[in-house]
Amino acid sequence: MRQKIDKIPARLDLTQSVTGLILGLFIMGHLIFEASILVSNEMMYKVTVMFEGYYFLGQTHPAIVSLLAGFISIVFIAHAGIAMRKFPANYKQFKTMQKHISIFNHDDTSLWMVQAFTGFIMFFIGSVHLYMMIAQPEHIGPFASSNRVVHEFMGPLYVLLLLSVVSHAFIGLYRLALKWGFMEGKDYRASRKRFKILMKAFIAIYLILGSLSLAKYTYIGMTHDFSTCAKYKSKTINLEQH
Ligand code: HEM
């Protein structure tokens, strides 16, 4: 009698790749939209109300941001939950894996360790950030965000989150391309080398962009007079009030 093939491991692998791709693309867009603060306060405000539906519905609806953050949270939890099946379950397994990685001395295998470590950090820090975005979507804007970074002490958390998410996202996208055969080409070695350069370039660009944005939010948070101006944006688009 032919044995039935268990398709669950393959389906879990595919789900992990698809959720990873969604999160990777999301974070690429997120850090660019959020860097609108580098253009001007007004630009960041316009991006904020765009996500609240102002340009499509004529009114701001911060609940849209909650819904988006809720969706991303589900994808985030699913991705992390599925990834956990590959984590070593006890110290003995951890030592065996560490020994294997050092004997193997293979770049792409070592990158897995970076993924596991940054993923573990993000599980905690990312959840704090996502919960805030779900619970207080109306507290986003050039001044509200700067207030959170400086006076609500989210700055140090964002530095850690930025470092882990940027490396995790681009190493993840690189591994995804490797796994699903997007870098075969005529000469797979040359193509793998090119993808690795691209991965490093993206990590560097996004780390610089994210750090500059965080520096600008910190500057606004430290210099803005929150006592004379509305800390949070009002419901109607009126940049003078912010
Ligand atoms: C829909 C869900 C999300 C929304 C609405 C959102 C929104 C924001 C906003 C408005 C900021 C600016 C600071 C602030 O206001 O507190 C910020 C910063 C940041 N977010 Fe998110 N975020 C979301 C999901 C995520 C996820 C899933 C991650 C990564 C796991 C992430 C990583 C970061 C990082 C690293 C920063 C600091 C950015 C920098 O260095 O420039 N965010 N986010």
Side-chain angles (χ1 to χ4, degrees), residues 97-115:
M97 192 183 70
Q98 213 182 24
K99 202 167 145 202
H100 173 80
I101 287 177
S102 73
I103 294 171
F104 215 36
N105 195 20
H106 177 247
D107 256 14
D108 287 348
T109 308
S110 312
L111 282 181
W112 187 87
M113 279 298 265
V114 179
Q115 286 305 78

Side-chain angles (χ1 to χ4, degrees), residues 124-141:
F124 300 99
I125 310 181
S127 307
V128 173
H129 176 52
L130 276 166
Y131 185 74
M132 276 181 168
M133 295 299 122
I134 294 174
Q136 301 185 322
E138 67 282 15
H139 294 180
I140 296 174

Side-chain angles (χ1 to χ4, degrees), residues 45 49-62 64 234-238:
Y45 182 71
V49 294
M50 178 186 79
F51 279 105
E52 293 175 356
Y54 180 77
Y55 299 111
F56 315 101
L57 308 169
Q59 254 189 323
T60 56
H61 296 280
I64 297 174
S234 67
K235 294 286 169 206
T236 51
I237 192 161
N238 182 354

Side-chain angles (χ1 to χ4, degrees), residues 119-185:
F120 185 72
I121 292 179
M122 276 186 340
F123 198 68
F124 300 99
I125 310 181
S127 307
V128 173
H129 176 52
L130 276 166
Y131 185 74
M132 276 181 168
M133 295 299 122
I134 294 174
Q136 301 185 322
E138 67 282 15
H139 294 180
I140 296 174
F143 300 122
S145 294
S146 303
N147 179 64
R148 185 166 29 244
V149 169
V150 176
H151 302 289
E152 291 173 10
F153 309 106
M154 283 297 285
L157 210 99
Y158 282 150
V159 171
L160 283 179
L161 188 58
L162 180 70
L163 287 172
S164 40
V165 79
V166 168
S167 34
H168 192 95
F170 290 108
I171 292 175
L173 290 174
Y174 165 80
R175 288 172 59 90
L176 213 65
L178 184 75
K179 181 170 185 164
W180 297 102
F182 287 106
M183 52 174 92
E184 305 278 286

Side-chain angles (χ1 to χ4, degrees), residues 26-27 30-31 34 44 65 68-69 72 76 122 126 129-130 133 140 145 148-149 158 161-162 165 210-211 213-214 217:
F26 167 80
I27 213 69
H30 174 339
L31 293 181
E34 203 228 315
M44 197 262 173
V65 176
L68 176 66
I72 291 296
F76 185 70
M122 276 186 340
H129 176 52
L130 276 166
M133 295 299 122
I140 296 174
S145 294
R148 185 166 29 244
V149 169
Y158 282 150
L161 188 58
L162 180 70
V165 79
S211 308
S213 308
L214 262 185
Y217 285 113

